[in-house]
Amino acid sequence: MATSKKETGAKAVLGKIVRHQLFIPVAALLILAIFNLIADPSFYKITLGYSNDGNPILSGYIMTILDYGSELAILAIGMTLVTAASGGQDISVGATIAIAGSVILRVLCGTESRPETLKAPIIVAFLVAVVVSMLFGAFNGVLVAYFKIQPMVATLILFTAGRSIAAWINNNELPIISDPKFGYFGGFIPGIPIPTTFFITVICVIIIMLVLKFTTLGLYTQSVGINESSSRLNGLNPAFIKFLSFVILGICVAVVGLIKVSRLSTINYSVVAKDIEMDAILAVALGGNALSGGKFNMTASILGAYVIQFLTTTLYKFKVQSDALPAYKAIVVIALVVMSAPIVRDWMSKTWKNLTKGNKAKEVA
Amino acid sequence: MSEKDMKKVGAPKQKVGMTDTNLLLTITIVVFFAMYIGAILFQGKGFLKPQTFLNILNANASLIIVACGMSIVMITGGIDISVGGVVALVSMCCAVYLDFKGGNVFVAILIAILIGLAFGMVQGFLVAYLDIQPFIVSLAGMFFARGMTTIVNTKPFNVANEQFKQLKETRIIVPGLGSVNKLGKYVNAYVEIGVIVALICVIVLFIMLRWTKLGRGFYAVGGNQQSALMLGINVKKTKFLSHTICGLLAGIGGFVYFMHVGSGSASHASGMEMNAIASSIIGGTMLTGGVGNIIGTFFGVLSLSTIQNIVSSAGLDQAWWTGITIASMLCLFLVVQSVVMARSKKKTQKK
């Protein structure tokens, strides 16, 4: 008796773990980590090197994941809110990043393409970019919330026009900033060997966690996503919540825009942040959040972003061409969505039950 | 008798106002003609030549075919953003087969159709029977197709197969539309084979959507899945078929695209899915499903490419103008759609 009780207890715990939302990203992370450990343990090697200026920097695949995964994590924060509130995704983030980056360069450089000194403090340029991205987010938000256009289609407009607008802002020139301070945001601050992007992400995560903890944003967003009309009847303003989620995504986009231009000290309108919208959506999906809106788990999304970057870096390590990368990612995506589809889950649990029943029957016999 | 009664009941309804489909279709066609006439008036005689119009058709035959497939999926209430990737994959596979293997053109056509069908059926299965969001499925499809294109061959190259070149350079002369060129020679107006294929596709699909059971099933499923189910329509099968047809058309469109450009490259047809969606929307297909028309899509493609022509011939050559104009046009049509939707909703509520 006792043993069987224990078993059911263990089973219940196991079931709880499997059903927990963090299970999918953590399991994916573990599978990738073990795969790398077996294939080549040098994946985890971190070396302390020195940059050209003599500053200590840590380098290694793990650092790359931390560095580039951070951009995705910041985007995933905004994308999770948009997904939860509107039940759709914003596919214009890549293009809006180009706009934000272009605005930053425009403010810093003025009309010169290679200024000796910065025309404005970096913080001013960043704030201008934040305002501009929030405006573009608001544009998407108005179309989605007030004109009731499907999010993917409403954002299709900026997806087509965004990079063109970005090129237009700088008159299609490619300004280069020589000030080394500007490179800190996407690189390393002298004396600190950990990529700055990681700290930026930590700040963003802390802010969003505080907001979710101390305001009703999270609750309202989920209730609008779950049932729009009933949340309206309960006195919420669904249109405004949706609008707000797009504006918040705009802020996230501006932060990533700053990181992106800081990495290169310049911008390439057609290439910067290309396909990043797909990765951001993927991060949300990998976090186990329903892409049709409703409940969300911010931690799972952020973890999902790092898992995506883990996968990308692993593929790069195995000398997969950057152009062929999408094919492998697609297989992972399909495997994930098929596994998480309700129909497949039902079917799996049924067959699992049948199997265990069969075993029990045998035992009895 | 009952049919007559039905007609009697139905008749006054139609007189009250145009249906959403017809209203959106009319807007599209009017906008297209207004734009074209405007182009003739302000941009000089270039647009008056029939060949200018035929060139728009030549360049966009593949887009017409692909956009038709997109419309069907959108009418059924889904979306397929993998079509651009499929077009690139088809053209690369055909190019490799024809050039490196010295293959037969007809086998190449078969390859194109099979690739398209395979994509359509797999995606259709995932969407219809496993109930996964079409956007995510076709997003993965797009990733997969683009990635496979580079795996098949990395470098872009031109095809030198003789049989294919013959096919590619076949021109069909349109009688009575020729014009006299600067040297005083009479030049025949022509279209490529792709245009004929595109027109056949448009006509066949138009007939299918309007007069077959399957075609009406698409509208029913897109309009209201629940009531379609209660009417005895096999919703899953209908969804599956809509994606299959879209994939098939993407395959055919891919070969037509390949015939037009005559080369294989991983960067081919980039952004084509967005153009196809945009043309469908401009043509009056609603994203919410249930409303749409193939003729509208046809005019949607024409409007989109005419605006591109106008922008480039107006001297606004900087690349960004095309993107911005297309986007603002898309924005306009989307807003019009949403206003129409709101209006029809109010009407039904009043009733």
Side-chain angles (χ1 to χ4, degrees):
Chain A
M1 269 315 270
T3 48
S4 75
K5 233 185 192 177
K6 227 183 192 176
E7 251 181 41
T8 49
K11 243 183 204 171
V13 170
L14 200 73
K16 238 184 194 175
I17 292 173
V18 170
R19 250 174 270 127
H20 195 275
Q21 209 179 347
L22 280 174
F23 175 69
I24 302 174
V26 170
L29 192 62
L30 279 180
I31 291 169
L32 277 171
I34 292 167
F35 173 75
N36 271 311
L37 198 64
I38 293 166
D40 188 1
S42 71
F43 186 85
Y44 296 101
K45 215 166 89 185
I46 296 173
T47 48
L48 184 67
Y50 288 93
S51 66
N52 297 336
D53 311 337
N55 294 318
I57 47 169
L58 288 173
S59 59
Y61 287 109
I62 296 293
M63 283 298 136
T64 317
I65 294 168
L66 271 190
D67 195 2
Y68 285 85
S70 298
E71 297 170 1
L72 268 182
I74 296 170
L75 275 185
I77 293 173
M79 192 66 90
T80 309
L81 285 177
V82 165
T83 304
S86 66
Q89 286 76 36
D90 185 341
I91 57 169
S92 72
V93 283
T96 330
I97 287 171
I99 295 176
S102 193
V103 166
I104 291 174
L105 289 181
R106 176 80 193 183
V107 174
L108 288 180
C109 297
T111 45
E112 292 170 45
S113 65
R114 275 166 189 67
E116 296 289 313
T117 52
L118 298 180
K119 303 284 173 198
I122 295 170
I123 183 77
V124 172
F126 173 63
L127 287 179
V128 173
V130 168
V131 171
V132 170
S133 326
M134 278 168 79
L135 280 178
F136 279 105
F139 172 75
N140 283 335
V142 166
L143 287 181
V144 172
Y146 296 101
F147 284 98
K148 304 219 174 348
I149 300 168
Q150 277 192 0
M152 267 122 171
V153 180
T155 49
L156 183 68
I157 297 171
L158 268 183
F159 179 88
T160 14
R163 292 176 191 279
S164 303
I165 295 173
W168 179 51
I169 289 171
N170 265 317
N171 219 354
N172 217 6
E173 278 172 24
L174 304 172
I176 295 172
I177 290 172
S178 43
D179 194 333
K181 261 184 213 145
F182 186 63
Y184 291 169
F185 300 98
F188 296 87
I189 296 174
I192 301 171
I194 297 169
T196 321
T197 46
F198 183 65
F199 296 112
I200 299 178
T201 313
V202 169
I203 295 170
C204 289
V205 169
I206 289 173
I207 292 174
I208 195 71
M209 286 303 171
L210 286 179
V211 167
L212 288 179
K213 176 115 190 157
F214 291 107
T215 68
T216 47
L217 179 77
L219 181 68
Y220 285 4
T221 306
Q222 296 191 17
S223 66
V224 167
I226 290 167
N227 192 333
E228 198 180 328
S229 44
S230 68
S231 45
R232 193 174 55 79
L233 292 175
N234 275 312
L236 299 185
N237 185 348
F240 181 70
I241 302 273
K242 281 186 190 175
F243 175 77
L244 196 64
S245 70
F246 276 93
V247 174
I248 293 173
L249 179 58
I251 302 173
C252 299
V253 161
V255 176
V256 179
L258 176 69
I259 294 173
K260 279 281 183 197
V261 286
S262 167
R263 278 193 205 286
L264 298 172
S265 290
T266 181
I267 193 169
N268 185 340
Y269 303 111
S270 53
V271 176
V272 64
K274 197 164 176 268
D275 289 342
I276 203 169
E277 52 272 353
M278 307 305 174
D279 278 352
I281 297 170
L282 209 54
V284 176
L286 198 61
N289 298 300
L291 287 173
S292 46
K295 283 195 136 186
F296 68 86
N297 185 334
M298 197 55 89
T299 324
S301 287
I302 294 165
L303 201 59
Y306 284 104
V307 175
I308 300 281
Q309 192 56 46
F310 207 118
L311 174 69
T312 313
T313 313
T314 309
L315 287 173
Y316 271 128
K317 185 175 174 288
F318 285 95
K319 300 271 182 312
V320 172
Q321 270 183 346
S322 65
D323 293 333
L325 210 63
Y328 297 95
K329 268 191 198 167
I331 294 170
V332 176
V333 178
I334 286 296
L336 262 174
V337 289
V338 168
M339 292 282 280
S340 59
I343 294 178
V344 179
R345 279 199 167 183
D346 284 352
W347 181 79
M348 279 203 299
S349 62
K350 252 185 212 165
T351 37
W352 177 247
K353 261 183 196 166
N354 281 345
L355 274 178
T356 45
K357 257 187 196 169
N359 282 343
K360 267 180 193 168
K362 267 180 201 167
E363 273 168 28
V364 169
Chain B
M1 195 206 97
S2 65
E3 220 171 77
K4 267 184 189 172
D5 281 351
M6 291 274 280
K7 266 182 190 168
K8 263 181 200 168
V9 175
K13 246 190 199 169
Q14 279 175 349
K15 267 183 193 169
V16 171
M18 275 195 271
T19 56
D20 292 344
T21 314
N22 286 342
L23 180 65
L24 291 173
L25 180 64
T26 321
I27 293 174
T28 309
I29 294 176
V30 167
V31 165
F32 169 69
F33 279 107
M35 215 159 60
Y36 209 86
I37 291 166
I40 291 170
L41 288 178
F42 296 110
Q43 306 262 315
K45 299 258 166 73
F47 279 92
L48 209 54
K49 272 190 203 160
Q51 188 58 50
T52 311
F53 179 71
L54 292 181
N55 278 342
I56 292 179
L57 277 183
N58 284 336
N60 290 292
S62 57
L63 182 59
I64 292 173
I65 299 173
V66 169
C68 284
M70 182 71 79
S71 296
I72 289 180
V73 171
M74 275 163 61
I75 286 170
T76 324
I79 200 161
D80 186 346
I81 57 169
S82 72
V83 286
V86 174
V87 166
L89 180 61
V90 162
S91 53
M92 182 58 98
C93 287
C94 288
V96 167
Y97 174 72
L98 286 175
D99 220 41
F100 297 169
K101 305 262 156 57
N104 188 316
V105 170
F106 294 102
V107 180
I109 294 175
L110 199 68
I111 290 176
I113 290 175
L114 282 181
I115 291 175
L117 259 185
F119 266 85
M121 284 171 78
V122 170
Q123 292 180 7
F125 176 76
L126 292 175
V127 170
Y129 291 101
L130 296 188
D131 212 14
I132 304 172
Q133 281 202 354
F135 189 86
I136 295 301
V137 169
S138 54
L139 184 74
M142 179 178 93
F143 271 163
F144 188 71
R146 289 267 174 216
M148 278 311 282
T149 312
T150 32
I151 291 173
V152 170
N153 194 16
T154 326
K155 282 181 186 143
F157 66 99
N158 283 321
V159 176
N161 186 307
E162 282 304 316
Q163 208 184 359
F164 174 71
K165 271 191 169 170
Q166 247 177 13
L167 188 71
K168 177 174 155 37
E169 270 145 32
T170 310
R171 298 280 185 267
I172 294 153
I173 291 163
V174 183
L177 285 179
S179 54
V180 180
N181 69 1
K182 277 177 193 163
L183 299 169
K185 249 186 183 174
Y186 183 80
V187 185
N188 277 318
Y190 67 87
V191 291
E192 289 172 15
I193 300 176
V195 178
I196 308 293
V197 179
L199 290 179
I200 291 172
C201 282
V202 168
I203 293 166
V204 168
L205 291 174
F206 177 73
I207 291 171
M208 191 198 75
L209 277 180
R210 183 147 272 200
W211 285 295
T212 67
K213 199 179 155 194
L214 179 66
R216 291 173 181 197
F218 289 146
Y219 283 101
V221 170
N224 191 332
Q225 210 165 306
Q226 288 291 317
S227 27
L229 195 67
M230 286 174 185
L231 281 171
I233 294 171
N234 190 338
V235 172
K236 286 181 176 171
K237 196 175 156 198
T238 314
K239 273 189 180 175
F240 173 73
L241 283 176
S242 78
H243 278 272
T244 309
I245 290 175
C246 181
L248 174 69
L249 286 172
I252 298 173
F255 195 80
V256 168
Y257 185 90
F258 177 54
M259 270 203 302
H260 184 69
V261 294
S263 64
S265 157
S267 62
H268 269 345
S270 65
M272 194 184 207
E273 56 277 345
M274 296 308 163
N275 279 343
I277 296 172
S279 330
S280 293
I281 292 170
I282 292 171
T285 309
M286 287 253 197
L287 275 149
T288 40
V291 179
N293 197 313
I294 290 295
I295 303 292
T297 306
F298 178 68
F299 277 100
V301 174
L302 291 184
S303 307
L304 204 68
S305 37
T306 308
I307 222 171
Q308 279 169 344
N309 270 22
I310 291 173
V311 166
S312 60
S313 70
L316 299 170
D317 258 347
Q318 287 98 333
W320 62 73
W321 282 112
T322 325
I324 292 176
T325 39
I326 289 178
S328 43
M329 196 163 154
L330 191 65
C331 182
L332 181 81
F333 274 88
L334 279 173
V335 170
V336 167
Q337 269 196 9
S338 113
V339 170
V340 167
M341 271 295 281
R343 204 194 54 144
S344 69
K345 231 183 209 173
K346 258 186 197 166
K347 247 193 212 165
T348 46
Q349 271 172 3
K350 265 183 192 170
K351 273 173 196 168

